[in-house]
Amino acid sequence: MNYPRVRARLLASEPVPGVAKALEKLDGWLLRDRAYWLVTRKEGTITIGKVDTDLSRVVANRATWTDPGPDASGAYCSPLPGGALAISSREAVTVYESDGTLRWKHYHQDWQHSPGASAACAPDPAGRVLLAAMAGPLRPGRSYAGDVCRAFNLATGEVLAEHVLASFSAAYEFQGFPDARPEVLLTASMGQDGTLCFLVTCTDSGLDVRMTGTVTEACVGVGPEGALVIQDIGGGYLIRTQDGTEEVMVEAGNVLPGNQIFAGYIPGFVDSERILVVTAEEQWAEEGVHLLLDARTLQPLTEVDYPQASGVVAVPLNDGTWLTHNGETVQRWTAP
């Protein structure tokens, strides 16, 4: 299948040390407070940079913290209001002030026999509560009820609410939405047991948690008005789901040439009209083909041409641009 080609236009290029490894992690890029952030780790330092709203630049500003556990795996970072930082590990949730001093720390149960599980955290859209997914309590003589999502007072660390999730020993990820919505998306990846997606809202009466999507193995991109694009981990299909609209699904075999599948693990909205996906012959390919799809029908519109071979990682930014990287250099692109 041959689609019309559109030439990508380079808007900005900037070195971001550690970005190649960062984009392999669950917190490598984050959508918080309607802004995108890059989280990198290098030589014992955590660096968080906000993607610039100026399309001629990549990162607006960067803040650094000493990594409290540089040799630990699975720690998940999130920027907070006022320049603070939250870190979720398998054993604790910790909040640091912008100058690196400790604000509060909450210890919790670890997953004792699940090395692949990992916690995550994010502020609620109002910026007053920290949401954190973690292992649930173990009670002697009783079966494990499931992992939990807790809501903390962001200023004090007081536990405000808790909800038992339908997921067990999962690797968690939080993403916000690009518009002013009260909920955040929580993704729980459980390996061979699939992936569950939840919409989490903190209310005066507690935590409202509801499942979303209809597939069990998914990578999720978020768009305006609560739209989600869900990519099968095996690359076989895409689904677009949104409250109040009919679900749309396309299979790779029906829209991609040869044996190509959807790859890259980061499908997403370039803007309200277009979704960017990456295709390749296998998930772990080093190079891929980038396609722009209609954001409502998921039908391919154009193939993106770059000045050089493109990798399988692209981060759409909902503003008409997207990011790729060449080694440790991040590039920002657009296309008509």
Side-chain angles (χ1 to χ4, degrees):
M1 299 176 189
N2 294 318
Y3 295 106
R5 292 175 177 266
V6 62
R7 188 70 167 176
R9 181 163 62 93
L10 182 64
L11 298 176
S13 181
E14 191 172 312
V16 180
V19 72
K21 290 186 177 180
L23 293 178
E24 299 173 357
K25 297 182 179 295
L26 294 177
D27 63 354
W29 70 276
L30 301 170
L31 182 50
R32 300 285 188 268
D33 192 24
R34 290 178 278 174
Y36 286 88
W37 306 74
L38 295 175
V39 180
T40 60
R41 298 169 173 85
K42 194 163 187 177
E43 298 176 351
T45 298
I46 298 169
T47 301
I48 297 184
K50 184 178 182 180
V51 175
D52 207 323
T53 56
D54 180 349
L55 304 188
S56 67
R57 298 182 59 190
V58 175
V59 179
N61 49 61
R62 306 183 195 191
T64 61
W65 287 266
T66 299
D67 191 341
D71 299 323
S73 61
Y76 182 103
C77 296
S78 179
L80 299 175
L85 174 72
I87 299 180
S88 277
S89 70
R90 288 171 57 96
E91 301 88 13
V93 181
T94 311
V95 173
Y96 295 95
E97 303 290 359
S98 59
D99 64 1
T101 59
L102 178 68
R103 181 185 298 181
W104 56 261
K105 189 166 190 172
H106 172 86
Y107 290 97
H108 56 77
Q109 187 72 49
D110 187 9
W111 291 278
Q112 294 184 353
H113 303 292
S114 300
S118 60
C121 57
D124 75 320
R128 296 189 296 267
V129 170
L130 183 69
L131 302 171
M134 63 191 71
L138 295 175
R139 298 181 176 91
R142 299 175 62 179
S143 60
Y144 183 57
D147 300 338
V148 299
C149 181
R150 285 182 182 149
F152 299 90
N153 181 305
L154 192 50
T156 66
E158 176 190 1
V159 178
L160 303 175
E162 178 176 299
H163 183 93
V164 179
L165 301 169
S167 45
F168 294 79
S169 303
Y172 288 97
E173 177 183 4
F174 279 103
Q175 292 293 1
F177 285 86
D179 48 6
R181 303 185 63 81
E183 69 262 25
V184 297
L185 177 72
L186 174 62
T187 305
S189 301
M190 300 180 292
Q192 294 182 347
D193 293 325
T195 297
L196 300 178
C197 301
F198 309 95
L199 291 173
V200 182
T201 308
C202 189
T203 69
D204 292 339
S205 58
L207 282 176
D208 177 42
V209 179
R210 61 187 179 94
M211 294 182 64
T212 188
T214 59
V215 296
T216 57
E217 291 188 318
C219 306
V220 183
V222 295
E225 300 179 350
L228 304 175
V229 56
I230 301 174
Q231 178 179 309
D232 165 45
I233 287 178
Y237 53 83
L238 292 176
I239 289 177
R240 184 193 189 276
T241 183
Q242 183 179 11
D243 287 348
T245 66
E246 186 175 351
E247 184 178 275
V248 177
M249 175 179 175
V250 295
E251 295 187 10
N254 293 334
V255 296
L256 302 182
N259 296 320
Q260 296 250 322
I261 60 173
F262 297 109
Y265 294 130
I266 310 178
F269 290 78
V270 172
D271 49 38
S272 60
E273 303 298 324
R274 298 175 297 175
I275 288 169
L276 179 66
V277 296
V278 180
T279 73
E281 291 186 356
E282 59 182 4
Q283 285 289 0
W284 302 112
E286 294 184 0
E287 297 180 3
V289 174
H290 294 204
L291 293 180
L292 292 171
L293 314 183
D294 184 283
R296 292 175 177 80
T297 67
L298 300 185
Q299 292 301 306
L301 299 172
T302 55
E303 179 181 330
V304 180
D305 271 345
Y306 294 93
Q308 73 279 334
S310 55
V312 294
V313 175
V315 180
L317 300 175
N318 276 285
D319 61 359
T321 73
W322 65 92
L323 305 179
T324 64
H325 76 94
N326 183 3
E328 301 287 76
T329 297
V330 176
Q331 299 162 316
R332 190 170 195 166
W333 305 89
T334 191

